[in-house]
Amino acid sequence: MLDKAYGVGERAPQVDGPAKITGQAKFAGDIKLAGMLEAKVLRSPFAHARIRSIDVSRAEALPGVACILTGNDLGDIDPYYGHAVRDRPIVAIDRAKFAGDPVAIVAAESASIADQALELIVVDYEELPHATTIEEAMVANAPQIHDTEQLRLGLFHGLGDFQPHNNICYEHHLEDGDVEKLFSKADEIVEGEYRFPSVYQYSMEPHLTVAHWIANDQLELWSNCQHPYLVRAEVADIFSLSKANVRIHVPYLGGGFGSKSYTRLEPMAAAVARKAARPVRIANSVTESMWTSRRHNMICKMQTAADKDGMLLARKVELWLDTGAYADNGPRVVATAADAAAGPYAWQAQKVDAFGVYTNRPPSGSYRAFGATHLQWIGESQINEIGRRVGLDALEMRKKNLLKFGDTIRKGGKPLDADLIGDIQKVADGLDWGEKRGENIGRGFGIGLLAAGSRPVSTSFLRLEADGTITVLVSTTELGQGARTAMSQLVSEVLKVPLSQIRVPDGDTQITPYDRSTGASRSTTLAGGAVHLAALDLREQLIDIAVKMWKLSDEAIEIREGQVWGGDKSATFAECLEWHFGFVGGELFGRGIVRPEEGQGTYSAGPVFWEVCTGGVEIELDRDTGEIKLRKVVSVADVGTAVNPSLIKGQEMGGAAQGLGNAIFEEMHFEDGQLMNGNLADYRVPKLFDMAEEFVSVIVQNEDGPGPYGLKGVGEGILAAMPAAIVNALGELGIEINELPATPERVWKAMNDSRQDDNTLQKKIGGE
Amino acid sequence: MRTLTPFSILAPTTLQDSFQHIEEHGWNAALYAGGTELLLTMRSGLASFPYLIDIKKIPQFDEISFNKDEGMLTIGAGATHRSIETSPLVLEQLPLLAEVESMVANIRVRTVGTIGGNLCFADPHSDPATLFMAWAGTTFELVSSAGVRQIAPDEFFVDLFTTARAENELMSKIHLPILGKRMGGAYKKFVTLERPTANVAAFLGLANGKIDSARIAVGSVGPIPVRAIDAEGTLLGGFPDEKLFERAAETAAEATDPVDDVYGSKEYKKQIVRVLTRRALKQAATRADRSQ
Amino acid sequence: MQLQTTINGKPIQAEVPAETLLIDLLRDDLDLTGTKRSCDMQICGSCTVLLDGQPVSSCSLLAYETQDRQVLTIEGVSLNGSLHPVQTAFLQEYGLQCGFCTPGMVLTTLSLLAENPNPDEETIRAHIGSNLCRCTGYYPIVNAVKKSVQLTNNTPGD
């Protein structure tokens, strides 16, 4: 299947398919090092507690225990990390800040011994008052989760002003126009208070890291991380190592979805391996991974003002995101949520006040389409409500108010680079919007924007091996999205070689060059951009050789069918190399570097592109139980140019499934900070039976992206659109949802509430 | 999940040997069949046993047989859910049992897990437990060195994870009478998490267009599945129509006393019981009507 | 305990503690790492292997249970070094992304086809419906199983 060239736009098979389908693909958990110890983590049972003392003597005496790491072992390093805020010690120092916070780590000859040792550690805790919800954390005299005076910025803060205070970790404010004035003259105002739950990314593979010190100044890690270069920098900083002396291998990832963004288990694994002076593995259970990363729960107050013709005037938003005990990626989520809050409409004024709040809960970080998923359902349901009041259909409301190509989204930032009205029309067409449906059938859609791309820094080398095959050195993490296939196709497009002659090895910070991160839908656009440039560079070098070899002009040289041609002469790449080096050896390197154009490197001037988040659903409601059955999903992927339509469709279908989960199933339940459903029996993710029978995937290719061939990223938008579409479909059925997930019970209750409202109304009318 | 603490497995090949192991080790030993629930409990750190007594090697322990004269299907307690679900005998004689068994957990659990293990574990969310509670004439056979005794489901299930099985007893068989003419049964469950929020089994018998027997059991909303006796009473002698089913369903729901938990609020669970009962009764009536 | 079993057609004799889980025997002792641990409570299906042709969760099954029985893992699925038609079908239909649930999906599909070479869509969904995938939204997996039916029935001698 791979023995063929596949260019841009073709449905290439997955280059990593054969390895994965045979079970040969290596994941982090498949790495075994000689002498490797198994580490297990002792975690705080309390949401907030002072650690008076830890007695590890009995545990240490257990045969087979190599060492035990506690906060007392961190004196000779800078134990605090956090890419945004350095607020997190490797293991708790003095205080545990959430139920699940690592307090000690045992490294032993086997997992079984480590488990036994955990039970022998005696920790003397003093329970402290805790703040385990946003409300508790925001009241005056709330327990302070951090001494904010002492907090330091992380290495990749990048968000400008940073003034944490009380339990506010970060805040972000947008203001444009005179909101109050517009509200005072508005004909229609819709307002509400909304809640988004804490959810878990649930990649099938939990977090896992293997650490191995080669010498006291050289550390090697195998880790299922999405952003190895950012992890490298943080780990180097903790242990005062040269960044180049921290080598991170990134094998295949069993999914990420943001949960494996930034630094996770690496500092713990490295610290224990250092103490044990042996290789150590830490493998999370699902429960532990739920304590490691999750999506922020949120409270949001939103008000939307419009005139009597349905022209939108202004929007006011206040939102509080629960970042848990440590900032993690909270500040970025706050900023992105603020960006997404107003929605892509031609507001005359908008005001957004967004806060990231520390609580005594597990830390929250990135999850696919963060910010947009939090806000889109709220904003879009208010647009529909305005429409209902003024007698305009949801589609008409969008056509009347959506931003147009080139319009300003936020001052100083990138203007709109997509055709939103064209996109939403395609969603409506996919739903047969004009047609009537039965009384329990609801339809809805949503549209929004997501600031995508993160920092535009990516590099790549293409190595033309002596045998004529090509090794693509790029640090994009393959986590299922098909990055290695897309990169191969970008090379194949330029150099016309079969995919079987292109290899994309594992990320390895000692070998594959710098890439900022794998997330924010950036890889094909930015890392792909670097690979594309590297392929062009290599192509030029090959043409140059052929010009000299055949004494032809460069216009006469052509590359096709994996060979270099000059009129009727042809040579394989290997033959070109042999001629060039005068020997059956030697290699060429293509080089690709993507960096910000002037003014494009900062967050305020960004994003790299705006990812369109749109899609629609048709649902059937069981009015007895409140259960929703998804009948149809329409996704519109506005990708500029599709490198591989099949992979894009795969992203859309997977994203829609996760969006469904966020919309109607998933919620991490906490009681006094204790996670009550930290396992798959009680935490529900979508199953095959939950998916709609019909999935319509539309790919829009307007070549309006910043990547090669006008492409832009994809894969997150549909997730954000799904809750909006489902909430609007319920709205069409007269059911108002202001808290997700819209579980059967919540829908049933909302249905009864609206029925009671109707009854009261009828009684009123009847009485008069 | 934690690693399992060490244990030894004893694998008696006769009933006598198993009694001997049970008597020797008492509660230090756990009876082990499929292990799907036992091992999960042990790996969750909720229990540990130095000995597991594997009772799957006892001859005929997983046998499914049908006594035509008595109209009685007998399922060996060691039969796996999957073997029951796919058994031609069960599919022919008691298709409802096959249907319910196919709804237990997932295919991998059904491949390994046994019907006897399921019942003896007495998880309040059990599918077959609720079914058998409603199934008139069902008995469980318990054996020990002292002999054999038959026990009805409503005496067998005592409390949350607690049964009337004595320390020295093991469940050997489940006896199920086949349904008579003009009898129909149905089973409904409502699932949002892995285990059901509520489940309901209902059986109706019809005579001259009226209901002459009715059995309803409600599970998952209390420590053990319970009969909805009052609801059954409202049905007897009535015409099998939606209105009556709704009334019975209401009565069944009111008789439950669920607690608020991760599966839902008390109020919502009652609603689900109401809906499931109505739906189960309707289907049971249709099936009764079709059964000649 | 002394364990005698057959894994991927190969007789295995091993001295293992009675509490050894099958997944640990496979991954740690035999280096068959294609079997993946995920939920660790016999729900998700990532660790599915076939025991005498039937799907089981190796994360929650004692290795003891494989005594004198046949175990098939993903490493034993390929036929003489070439892909099994079920594997080909998954590749053709993009029935995998990250690959973590994939071995379990393939093995579960094999158990279905062994039992029913021509399953209809409902049977397919019922059989594979409890295996979890977080990447694909399941559509390509259902298509892959349907394609497996076609390809398997067209493979001579299979």
Side-chain angles (χ1 to χ4, degrees):
Chain A
M1 288 167 88
L2 298 169
D3 217 21
K4 177 175 171 306
Y6 286 88
V8 167
E10 294 191 78
R11 296 176 185 275
Q14 292 149 302
V15 297
D16 46 3
K20 288 176 175 174
I21 202 72
T22 53
Q24 298 306 309
K26 290 290 177 230
F27 294 79
D30 304 335
I31 307 294
K32 277 180 208 165
L33 301 185
M36 185 171 78
L37 298 165
E38 294 289 345
K40 295 262 183 173
V41 180
L42 183 75
R43 293 168 181 278
S44 169
F46 302 111
H48 198 192
R50 186 175 314 287
I51 298 165
R52 287 208 197 96
S53 64
I54 304 180
D55 179 1
V56 297
S57 55
R58 283 180 64 214
E60 263 174 350
L62 189 72
V65 170
C67 77
I68 295 170
L69 184 95
T70 70
N72 299 326
D73 295 306
L74 308 174
D76 62 337
I77 53 175
D78 182 348
Y80 288 89
Y81 67 101
H83 66 279
V85 186
R86 283 181 93 137
D87 57 2
R88 176 158 204 182
I90 295 175
V91 292
I93 296 175
D94 302 334
R95 258 199 304 159
K97 297 189 172 78
F98 71 95
D101 207 357
V103 168
I105 309 171
V106 175
E109 299 295 339
S110 72
S112 169
I113 296 170
D115 269 337
Q116 291 169 51
L118 286 184
E119 289 166 6
L120 299 175
I121 299 176
V122 182
V123 184
D124 182 10
Y125 292 102
E126 175 194 343
E127 267 197 86
L128 298 173
H130 52 59
T132 64
T133 64
I134 293 171
E135 292 93 331
E136 284 171 13
M138 294 294 292
V139 296
N141 305 320
Q144 292 303 291
I145 289 144
H146 290 276
D147 179 355
T148 46
E149 299 284 306
Q150 300 296 316
L151 289 177
R152 291 176 287 157
L153 282 181
L155 295 174
F156 308 104
H157 184 258
L159 291 162
D161 200 25
F162 172 73
Q163 288 172 327
H165 56 92
N166 304 320
N167 284 323
I168 301 286
C169 162
Y170 181 76
E171 53 192 282
H172 193 82
H173 304 277
L174 299 170
E175 188 166 6
D176 188 13
D178 191 339
V179 172
E180 296 309 327
K181 195 173 141 196
L182 286 157
F183 267 87
S184 69
K185 69 170 204 186
D187 300 310
E188 297 292 346
I189 294 174
V190 176
E191 58 190 329
E193 186 174 323
Y194 304 84
R195 278 160 194 272
F196 189 93
S198 171
V199 296
Y200 172 50
Q201 301 90 338
Y202 215 113
S203 60
M204 294 301 291
E205 175 202 41
H207 302 89
L208 188 145
T209 298
V210 176
H212 175 40
W213 290 81
I214 296 164
N216 61 10
D217 64 347
Q218 279 183 59
L219 172 63
E220 200 163 3
L221 298 165
W222 287 258
S223 194
N224 49 21
C225 61
Q226 291 179 226
H227 311 339
Y229 274 92
L230 304 190
V231 174
R232 183 180 79 153
E234 282 207 275
V235 171
D237 215 42
I238 291 170
F239 297 99
S240 301
L241 304 173
S242 158
K243 286 190 191 74
N245 277 357
V246 177
R247 180 178 190 179
I248 305 184
H249 301 266
V250 185
Y252 287 115
L253 259 64
F257 318 121
S259 67
K260 294 164 183 167
S261 295
Y262 302 100
T263 303
R264 300 282 141 211
L265 308 182
E266 296 87 357
M268 290 203 288
V272 186
R274 183 166 174 261
K275 184 167 182 187
R278 281 179 56 184
V280 167
R281 163 162 79 185
I282 301 184
N284 265 3
S285 65
V286 166
T287 311
E288 289 178 297
S289 277
M290 293 174 91
W291 285 325
T292 301
S293 184
R294 64 180 177 103
R295 198 199 284 286
H296 295 70
N297 50 300
M298 177 192 72
I299 299 174
C300 170
K301 292 179 184 173
M302 189 182 283
Q303 291 174 286
T304 303
D307 71 13
K308 61 183 188 321
D309 301 321
M311 190 64 78
L312 298 176
L313 300 174
R315 179 167 271 178
K316 256 195 300 197
V317 188
E318 286 175 285
L319 63 97
W320 296 264
L321 289 151
D322 172 2
T323 207
Y326 303 107
D328 199 296
N329 204 31
R332 171 69 69 191
V333 175
V334 170
T336 306
D339 258 353
Y345 297 97
W347 304 106
Q348 293 179 34
Q350 52 171 299
K351 186 170 189 298
V352 182
D353 299 298
F355 303 89
V357 182
Y358 281 124
T359 67
N360 292 116
R361 278 197 190 186
S364 312
S366 310
Y367 178 11
R368 201 171 185 174
F370 59 72
T373 307
H374 288 99
L375 271 303
Q376 189 172 331
W377 65 283
I378 300 172
E380 287 293 89
S381 67
Q382 292 203 341
I383 305 285
N384 276 23
E385 179 58 24
I386 300 258
R388 275 191 284 274
R389 292 190 190 176
V390 302
L392 276 183
D393 147 278
L395 184 59
E396 289 307 314
M397 280 299 292
R398 302 310 184 287
K399 284 183 177 168
K400 198 175 180 109
N401 290 292
L402 276 172
L403 291 172
K404 303 204 168 49
F405 193 95
D407 282 354
T408 301
I409 294 169
R410 69 162 138 67
K411 273 189 289 188
K414 181 156 189 158
L416 179 60
D417 49 357
D419 170 20
L420 299 182
I421 294 174
D423 290 342
I424 199 70
Q425 182 65 55
K426 289 184 180 69
V427 173
D429 291 347
L431 289 172
D432 300 319
W433 188 248
E435 311 249 320
K436 277 259 176 277
R437 290 289 186 273
E439 64 169 332
N440 292 326
I441 309 288
R443 285 173 303 164
F445 51 67
I447 189 160
L449 292 172
L450 178 59
S454 186
R455 295 274 178 152
V457 180
S458 293
T459 60
S460 171
F461 284 119
L462 248 57
R463 179 175 172 187
L464 179 60
E465 311 267 356
D467 64 2
T469 63
I470 294 165
T471 304
V472 183
L473 300 175
V474 61
S475 292
T476 296
T477 297
E478 172 60 63
L479 35 77
Q481 82 280 46
R484 295 189 191 183
T485 305
M487 299 303 161
S488 300
Q489 281 184 259
L490 288 166
V491 172
S492 186
E493 171 70 36
V494 173
L495 296 167
K496 313 296 179 194
V497 288
L499 298 188
S500 56
Q501 292 187 33
I502 301 170
R503 70 184 67 74
V504 189
D506 287 355
D508 174 348
T509 57
Q510 202 162 82
I511 292 171
T512 57
Y514 189 88
D515 184 27
R516 194 273 176 188
S517 49
T518 300
S521 301
R522 69 188 296 284
S523 287
T524 314
T525 310
L526 298 171
V531 167
H532 173 70
L533 291 174
L536 291 177
D537 184 10
L538 201 53
R539 185 177 185 278
E540 247 177 73
Q541 294 177 48
L542 281 165
I543 289 173
D544 217 37
I545 291 170
V547 164
K548 288 176 188 146
M549 183 165 65
W550 291 323
K551 301 187 173 52
L552 291 169
S553 71
D554 52 2
E555 291 88 48
I557 309 294
E558 195 183 0
I559 291 188
R560 62 183 152 88
E561 292 154 17
Q563 299 201 17
V564 185
W565 296 78
D568 57 353
K569 293 193 190 98
S570 73
T572 63
F573 293 172
E575 286 163 351
C576 290
L577 287 176
E578 194 177 338
W579 185 87
H580 183 65
F581 289 101
F583 177 71
V584 285
E587 297 173 356
L588 296 182
F589 291 91
R591 194 185 72 159
I593 295 174
V594 169
R595 64 189 187 87
E597 292 163 35
E598 207 163 339
Q600 289 292 302
T602 65
Y603 183 76
S604 58
V608 176
F609 63 96
W610 290 100
E611 183 169 351
V612 179
C613 310
T614 191
V617 299
E618 180 173 302
I619 60 167
E620 182 166 4
L621 173 66
D622 180 337
R623 289 192 186 263
D624 284 338
T625 60
E627 198 173 24
I628 295 167
K629 177 80 191 143
L630 202 56
R631 286 162 57 98
K632 184 181 198 176
V633 176
V634 180
S635 85
V636 171
D638 189 335
V639 302
T641 293
V643 174
N644 185 326
S646 294
L647 295 186
I648 290 170
K649 191 175 177 190
Q651 285 296 297
E652 295 294 286
M653 294 185 292
Q658 294 195 358
L660 176 71
N662 277 229
I664 70 172
F665 295 126
E666 296 176 47
E667 178 166 20
M668 292 166 76
H669 292 283
F670 291 94
E671 275 175 30
D672 288 333
Q674 304 287 337
L675 177 61
M676 304 306 287
N677 59 339
N679 60 67
L680 191 53
D682 300 324
Y683 184 86
R684 168 76 146 84
V685 295
K687 296 189 170 188
L688 192 156
F689 299 104
D690 303 316
M691 299 310 294
E693 265 176 38
E694 201 181 348
F695 193 100
V696 179
S697 164
V698 180
I699 298 176
V700 177
Q701 304 193 58
N702 293 337
E703 296 181 22
D704 46 12
Y709 312 100
L711 71 82
K712 55 188 167 181
V714 64
E716 306 199 41
I718 186 64
L719 201 167
M722 283 295 286
I726 289 169
V727 166
N728 278 343
L730 284 165
E732 196 180 81
L733 296 174
I735 297 161
E736 191 184 318
I737 294 294
N738 51 21
E739 181 169 11
L740 292 184
T743 56
E745 176 163 2
R746 282 210 181 101
V747 171
W748 179 75
K749 282 189 169 151
M751 213 155 53
N752 288 352
D753 290 349
S754 65
R755 203 175 292 152
Q756 272 165 13
D757 290 349
D758 288 351
N759 288 345
T760 333
L761 193 68
Q762 270 168 11
K763 271 180 206 151
K764 255 190 200 164
I765 297 167
E768 277 166 5
Chain B
M1 296 296 136
R2 54 154 301 150
T3 42
L4 286 164
T5 50
F7 52 72
S8 303
I9 301 175
L10 307 169
T13 51
T14 65
L15 265 178
Q16 278 317 311
D17 284 355
S18 56
F19 297 147
Q20 212 176 328
H21 290 310
I22 292 168
E23 270 148 36
E24 185 178 343
H25 300 294
W27 292 126
N28 271 332
L31 296 181
Y32 163 74
T36 53
E37 304 195 81
L38 176 68
L39 294 175
L40 198 61
T41 309
M42 293 170 72
R43 294 172 66 231
S44 303
L46 299 173
S48 71
F49 299 95
Y51 297 96
L52 301 192
I53 303 173
D54 178 7
I55 49 181
K56 293 191 295 296
K57 307 272 191 285
I58 301 170
Q60 280 102 48
F61 210 62
D62 57 356
E63 199 173 76
I64 301 172
S65 62
F66 178 56
N67 183 326
K68 203 175 168 188
D69 297 339
E70 291 176 17
M72 195 69 85
L73 192 80
T74 297
I75 314 270
T80 63
H81 300 292
R82 188 84 178 130
S83 70
I84 299 169
E85 153 195 4
T86 56
S87 155
L89 206 51
V90 175
L91 285 163
E92 192 192 323
Q93 299 300 333
L94 292 174
L96 176 60
L97 176 62
E99 183 188 324
V100 173
E101 285 291 275
S102 77
M103 293 162 84
V104 172
N106 61 57
I107 190 165
R108 288 163 270 108
V109 167
R110 296 200 301 276
T111 296
V112 175
T114 64
I115 185 91
N118 181 299
L119 297 172
C120 292
F121 195 75
D123 183 311
H125 299 277
S126 161
D127 300 283
T130 301
L131 177 73
F132 295 151
M133 189 63 101
W135 196 309
T138 298
T139 57
F140 304 148
E141 188 170 305
L142 299 175
V143 291
S144 68
S145 51
V148 179
R149 66 169 172 143
Q150 307 290 336
I151 184 168
D154 53 359
E155 288 167 32
F156 181 74
F157 298 109
V158 174
D159 203 346
L160 198 68
F161 304 113
T162 310
T163 69
R165 181 177 68 89
E167 182 190 352
N168 66 343
E169 285 181 316
L170 58 90
M171 184 186 279
S172 56
K173 287 170 185 154
I174 295 119
H175 301 290
L176 294 161
I178 58 163
L179 299 185
K181 287 192 169 57
R182 305 291 287 164
M183 283 275 296
Y187 174 78
K188 300 284 171 194
K189 68 171 170 178
F190 185 78
V191 181
T192 56
L193 305 177
E194 187 62 19
R195 302 184 183 93
T197 306
N199 53 359
V200 173
F203 291 84
L204 288 177
L206 300 178
N208 306 318
K210 287 186 178 173
I211 296 167
D212 76 339
S213 71
R215 300 264 294 196
I216 302 170
V218 178
S220 304
V221 292
I224 55 169
V226 289
R227 289 268 301 282
I229 307 273
D230 290 345
E232 292 170 2
T234 63
L235 291 164
L236 290 175
F239 292 102
D241 58 27
E242 291 257 0
K243 224 170 122 186
L244 182 61
F245 295 157
E246 180 60 47
R247 220 172 76 216
E250 184 68 37
T251 310
E254 283 316 310
T256 62
D257 187 20
V259 292
D260 292 346
D261 60 16
V262 69
Y263 293 91
S265 67
K266 178 185 168 95
E267 184 196 8
Y268 184 65
K269 287 180 187 174
K270 280 177 174 273
Q271 167 69 6
I272 294 300
V273 169
R274 184 179 298 125
V275 173
L276 296 182
T277 306
R278 195 183 68 218
R279 291 177 181 176
L281 286 171
K282 191 175 169 187
Q283 188 174 38
T286 309
R287 287 175 172 176
D289 198 39
R290 284 194 195 134
S291 123
Q292 294 303 325
Chain C
M1 58 168 282
Q2 185 68 31
L3 181 70
Q4 290 190 39
T5 180
T6 304
I7 295 176
N8 299 330
K10 213 171 110 190
I12 301 284
Q13 289 203 18
E15 180 64 38
V16 297
E19 68 274 14
T20 305
L21 293 166
L22 178 55
I23 193 169
D24 294 326
L25 174 76
L26 295 172
R27 289 182 53 85
D28 297 347
D29 299 344
L30 304 174
D31 219 12
L32 297 170
T33 56
T35 302
K36 301 302 183 198
R37 176 178 257 133
S38 183
C39 79
D40 213 15
M41 56 191 307
Q42 60 198 348
I43 296 175
C44 76
S46 293
C47 67
T48 304
V49 300
L50 302 189
L51 181 60
D52 290 343
Q54 301 289 312
V56 294
S57 293
S58 62
C59 73
S60 302
L61 189 78
L62 295 178
Y64 162 84
E65 291 296 339
T66 68
Q67 183 76 34
D68 301 324
R69 298 173 78 178
Q70 301 270 344
V71 178
L72 183 70
T73 75
I74 190 66
E75 289 87 351
V77 172
S78 305
L79 308 163
N80 310 318
S82 62
L83 295 180
H84 188 284
V86 170
Q87 293 172 310
T88 305
F90 270 76
L91 294 185
Q92 287 180 357
E93 294 295 330
Y94 300 85
L96 68 152
Q97 287 185 25
C98 81
F100 212 73
C101 74
T102 309
M105 289 286 183
V106 168
L107 288 157
T108 307
T109 304
L110 284 170
S111 72
L112 167 66
L113 299 184
E115 195 174 286
N116 183 347
N118 280 300
D120 56 18
E121 172 139 1
E122 198 188 335
T123 310
I124 289 172
R125 293 167 69 93
H127 198 95
I128 65 167
S130 42
N131 283 48
L132 207 67
C133 168
R134 291 288 290 157
C135 296
T136 64
Y138 302 103
Y139 297 98
I141 292 176
V142 174
N143 290 340
V145 180
K146 288 185 194 165
K147 179 59 83 59
S148 298
V149 174
Q150 279 176 30
L151 295 186
T152 311
N153 291 341
N154 290 338
T155 305
D158 188 65

